[in-house]
Amino acid sequence: MSNTSMNIRMDSEVKRQAQELFAQFGLDMTTAVNMFLRQSIRQRGIPFVLQLDPFYSKANQERLLRAAARMEQFGGTVHELIEAADD
């Protein structure tokens, strides 16, 4: 198997922190990146969960807008307003 080079750009602080972390495992950056790539190939995907903050989900935004609309109709606590938005 022949080797090839890859150049990537990253924030210098991210690189420094990653190198420090990998060094604690006895790894250099090249080995760590190769591990990530091989695991991605093995799993046929990103080897960790990618997710958005649920607070910013479209469903939650709509729920909060409904709660705000109900706020004008009747007072109450925030908890009561959010429960009412589920109706």
Side-chain angles (χ1 to χ4, degrees):
M1 181 184 315
S2 65
N3 289 331
T4 187
S5 294
M6 178 176 74
N7 294 316
I8 61 172
R9 294 186 183 278
M10 69 180 71
D11 181 274
S12 59
E13 183 60 18
V14 169
K15 179 181 176 185
R16 185 192 66 74
Q17 289 179 17
Q19 286 175 317
E20 285 181 11
L21 173 67
F22 299 147
Q24 292 178 34
F25 291 102
L27 304 171
D28 61 14
M29 186 71 77
T30 298
T31 303
V33 169
N34 274 306
M35 290 171 65
F36 168 78
L37 296 174
R38 289 176 185 277
Q39 191 65 16
S40 296
I41 293 165
R42 190 173 292 118
Q43 293 184 9
R44 299 184 52 81
I46 303 296
F48 48 83
V49 176
L50 295 176
Q51 65 185 42
L52 297 173
D53 185 335
F55 179 79
Y56 296 104
S57 72
K58 181 134 179 91
N60 198 46
Q61 289 175 5
E62 290 169 356
R63 184 175 182 222
L64 292 172
L65 287 173
R66 287 194 309 272
R70 294 253 179 133
M71 186 181 292
E72 292 180 1
Q73 294 176 357
F74 62 91
T77 66
V78 172
H79 181 70
E80 291 169 338
L81 291 171
I82 292 173
E83 283 182 355
D86 286 335
D87 295 341

